[in-house]
Amino acid sequence: MTSNGLDELELCSHLAADFTGDVETQYRRVVSWSVARHSNGRSLAKRRKVAAPTCGTCNITLVRPFVCLHCPYSGCWTGSHVVEHLKQSSHMFCVDVNSGAVFCSACDDVVHNHTLNKAYLESHLRAEEKRTVAKIPREPFKFWEPSADAEEVSALDGTVAIPCQGRRGLLNLGQTCYLNVILQCFVHNPLLRNHFLGDKHNHKLCKIQDCACCEMDKLFIEVYSDDTTPFGPVSFLATTWRKSTELAGYAQHDAHEFFIASLNHIHSNCKGSTNISCICVIHSTFAGQLQSDVRCERCSNVTSTVDPILDVSLELKEKVVRDDKSNPVLSLGACLRRYTQPEKLGPKEYTCSKCGKGSSASKRLSFRRLPPVLSFQFKRFEHKGSDKSASAKKLDSLVRIPANLDMMPFTTMNMKDNDKENTGPHIMYQYELFAVINHEGQMDNGHYTNFARFDSEWYRFDDDKVTHSSLGACLKSTPYMCFYVKKHLEYKPHITPTYIRTRETEAVRERALEREKEAARQKELDDALLATV
């Protein structure tokens, strides 16, 4: 909901005057209890241990409980018992536990204002953060507000608020739909958005030629401007052509190929980019670790290797169920289970390092470290034989993707019995969907579109056309790629972010170079003076 929409709903004078003190405290407790109720334990059986509230009038179990904010009463909405309680007790407010919406008995309506929304968000996030604590405590969530520091206040003087619409179509520049869908997914990636809108890279100050980070900065500036007409990413396309000749030209290209190329380009131009322990925005967002365990069946020796990953490619071979039209239907969960299940290796494929003989073995993949953003690609384009152009075909299998994804079953620690107790809070393995890419048509004559989430709304992007959609329509589509973001990011309390440490280190290095240059100039002057004496 926009801020203008909220202003139109701020009609309840009772909420503005009375939502303080014990009423606000009770509201925050209800929100925290709701979070605990829905996230207690890993299984439904453990969740049931949290007592379900009952109606104080008719004594039925409440699926959607309403709680009075002035006393411990809880009641049902369908039977109007909670409304009757408010009138009989001369109480003003009750709250819907599931949504946090507040009902005002004096206005006889659900009411909103900014203070209420802020209290709900703050209480909800703090309650969730308490459930993400393992051994290291986390810094509590708090809203950012300008401090009393004169420097910060003066920095905000004269600034102009820009519209945070973030929904701008991209022009097709000649079979460039593969580029448009990836750029839309970049724009709606919350971590990339925060990085580039946070002015971590300014294209006006950068001196690198054909810089992919500069193109990303320009892209975010255009998308988040007040211009709603479709934007043509001409310079982004030209930079890609110069840096990746295999993508040059107006032929059809694979969106996943462009995705990987773009990640490499942005990584190479980022500050903090290194070959070891890279802290650039790409690796901070997409990088994870995949562990491969090979177990020798002769001596039971296990050899483990860890490899970095930026995305996960899943095969579409296992037919699970069929829909009404007898089409094979898969699920993302089934693909991940197949991806991480043990695979048999023959004696000619593996030689044990311990017993030194070729023997049968089993190989199993697992996720050792999960990235903040998970990118999945479904292998829909199949090639048979050596001649790819003559034997290529597209797999049109339907794939069911969830709105929320639990990655704990596929992690290395969860697969090892002795490490299950060290997996940490279960909520830290939860992901939510924010973008999906679809491919329509065949390999030689196809078109890319995508869905993306902005705030709580879903939109469909077809090059320059942007239409309002829904999560249901997105989940029913045929995905080629899908993107998930962690619900709770891992961070330590009171730790200076890496980009600030990098910036401070570079500033110290630049000051040291300036001092050296100044000392060299002074030495030249002194030598010149001595020469004249």
Side-chain angles (χ1 to χ4, degrees):
M1 182 177 291
T2 62
S3 58
N4 292 335
L6 273 176
D7 292 337
E8 294 172 0
L9 289 169
E10 288 183 7
L11 303 175
C12 178
S13 59
H14 315 97
L15 186 64
D18 299 332
F19 189 74
T20 57
D22 294 339
V23 174
E24 183 178 357
T25 301
Q26 175 75 348
Y27 179 80
R28 291 178 180 273
R29 287 174 179 170
V30 170
V31 173
S32 300
W33 179 87
S34 176
V35 172
R37 179 191 181 202
H38 289 93
S39 61
N40 184 51
R42 301 183 185 179
S43 64
L44 182 60
K46 289 187 177 181
R47 284 201 231 26
R48 285 174 180 159
K49 292 181 180 179
V50 179
T54 58
C55 178
T57 302
C58 62
N59 208 34
I60 65 169
T61 302
L62 299 174
V63 178
R64 185 187 177 189
F66 279 75
V67 176
C68 179
L69 292 181
H70 304 270
C71 69
Y73 178 87
S74 62
C76 58
W77 179 262
T78 53
S80 300
H81 293 151
V82 67
V83 177
E84 293 175 3
H85 165 79
L86 295 178
K87 292 179 179 179
Q88 294 173 1
S89 305
S90 298
H91 290 167
M92 190 72 69
F93 305 114
C94 69
V95 57
D96 178 0
V97 174
N98 292 349
S99 66
V102 171
F103 176 82
C104 176
S105 60
C107 298
D108 196 27
D109 199 359
V110 176
V111 292
H112 303 263
N113 70 4
H114 290 293
T115 304
L116 176 64
N117 290 343
K118 181 178 178 180
Y120 175 79
L121 180 60
E122 192 172 25
S123 303
H124 196 277
L125 290 176
R126 283 183 175 176
E128 286 188 334
E129 282 189 336
K130 288 181 180 179
R131 310 193 72 78
T132 64
V133 175
K135 296 180 180 179
I136 303 176
R138 299 182 67 178
E139 189 172 353
F141 169 80
K142 58 182 178 180
F143 284 94
W144 178 85
E145 293 179 356
S147 66
D149 191 334
E151 184 177 348
E152 287 193 13
V153 174
S154 61
L156 295 174
D157 290 341
T159 56
V160 179
I162 61 173
C164 294
Q165 47 105 4
R167 302 178 299 277
R168 190 175 181 184
L170 301 177
L171 294 173
N172 193 316
L173 306 175
Q175 300 196 86
T176 58
C177 56
Y178 69 92
L179 175 140
N180 289 344
V181 292
I182 295 298
L183 295 188
Q184 291 289 4
C185 293
F186 283 164
V187 166
H188 292 86
N189 185 318
L191 275 71
L192 295 182
R193 177 199 63 205
N194 294 348
H195 179 87
F196 286 100
L197 290 184
D199 203 27
K200 302 300 187 298
H201 187 96
N202 192 320
H203 72 277
K204 295 181 180 180
L205 302 178
C206 182
K207 299 179 181 179
I208 301 176
Q209 187 177 6
D210 293 333
C211 177
C213 289
C214 288
E215 296 304 325
M216 289 289 290
D217 187 44
K218 295 176 187 176
L219 175 67
F220 276 93
I221 290 174
E222 290 292 341
V223 170
Y224 281 88
S225 68
D226 55 0
D227 189 355
T228 58
T229 59
F231 168 65
V234 178
S235 60
F236 205 119
L237 179 65
T239 300
T240 301
W241 285 1
R242 287 191 289 268
K243 296 173 77 74
S244 295
T245 55
E246 69 277 6
L247 294 172
Y250 292 100
Q252 292 192 359
H253 294 289
D254 180 34
H256 180 256
E257 183 181 3
F258 172 73
F259 171 69
I260 296 299
S262 296
L263 296 187
N264 291 329
H265 297 165
I266 299 170
H267 156 73
S268 63
N269 296 139
C270 270
K271 289 185 177 180
S273 174
T274 60
N275 293 328
I276 302 174
S277 286
C278 183
I279 58 172
C280 76
V281 63
I282 294 302
H283 283 83
S284 299
T285 302
F286 294 99
Q289 290 181 340
L290 194 67
Q291 179 166 317
S292 173
D293 296 317
V294 180
R295 182 179 181 276
C296 176
E297 295 186 355
R298 181 189 296 271
C299 65
S300 299
N301 178 53
V302 177
T303 304
S304 299
T305 56
V306 179
D307 296 307
I309 56 170
L310 290 176
D311 74 322
V312 181
S313 295
L314 301 172
E315 295 184 353
L316 301 178
K317 292 185 178 180
E318 184 180 357
K319 298 181 180 180
V320 182
V321 295
R322 291 183 177 271
D323 62 4
D324 297 336
K325 299 180 181 179
S326 297
N327 295 319
V329 180
L330 305 173
S331 68
L332 176 58
C335 292
L336 283 170
R337 285 190 291 273
R338 187 178 189 278
Y339 186 77
T340 55
Q341 72 181 8
E343 174 188 359
K344 291 292 184 180
L345 300 178
K348 295 182 180 180
E349 298 178 89
Y350 174 72
T351 300
C352 180
S353 58
K354 184 177 181 180
C355 58
K357 298 179 180 180
S359 63
S360 298
S362 62
K363 176 183 177 182
R364 187 172 194 177
L365 299 177
S366 60
F367 292 90
R368 181 180 179 88
R369 183 170 67 84
L370 292 168
V373 172
L374 267 172
S375 167
F376 295 106
Q377 179 228 6
F378 299 102
K379 296 181 179 179
R380 292 194 174 276
F381 305 126
E382 189 178 60
H383 301 278
K384 294 184 179 180
S386 57
D387 188 1
K388 293 185 177 181
S389 60
S391 58
K393 71 172 185 177
K394 180 186 174 184
L395 302 177
D396 291 318
S397 302
L398 300 176
V399 181
R400 291 173 178 166
I401 56 175
N404 296 284
L405 178 64
D406 180 11
M407 287 296 295
M408 176 175 274
F410 314 108
T411 59
T412 303
M413 286 191 294
N414 188 71
M415 291 182 180
K416 294 183 177 179
D417 295 334
N418 56 344
D419 280 349
K420 283 189 176 182
E421 296 181 357
N422 299 322
T423 54
H426 186 247
I427 199 171
M428 297 301 293
Y429 299 86
Q430 302 292 321
Y431 286 77
E432 54 186 352
L433 184 71
F434 72 87
V436 173
I437 293 176
N438 311 109
H439 182 269
E440 304 166 0
Q442 298 303 314
M443 287 189 62
D444 55 349
N445 187 22
H447 179 63
Y448 287 103
T449 60
N450 76 284
F451 291 87
R453 186 189 66 192
F454 182 81
D455 286 340
S456 59
E457 301 293 326
W458 283 86
Y459 296 86
R460 184 176 184 269
F461 296 84
D462 185 356
D463 289 334
D464 58 318
K465 296 181 285 293
V466 182
T467 56
H468 187 268
S469 187
S470 65
L471 175 60
C474 175
L475 298 181
K476 290 179 182 177
S477 65
T478 305
Y480 174 56
M481 295 180 67
C482 56
F483 299 86
Y484 288 83
V485 63
K486 258 190 177 183
K487 288 186 176 181
H488 300 277
L489 300 180
E490 297 175 7
Y491 63 92
K492 298 177 182 179
H494 312 296
I495 297 296
T496 304
T498 54
Y499 73 87
I500 292 181
R501 294 203 302 269
T502 303
R503 187 172 59 192
E504 291 174 349
T505 303
E506 291 178 352
V508 171
R509 189 183 299 114
E510 289 177 0
R511 287 196 293 269
L513 290 174
E514 288 295 330
R515 287 195 296 269
E516 291 177 3
K517 291 179 181 179
E518 184 63 28
R521 283 195 297 267
Q522 188 63 39
K523 187 176 184 303
E524 289 177 2
L525 290 175
D526 293 342
D527 291 343
L529 288 173
L530 290 173
T532 58
V533 175

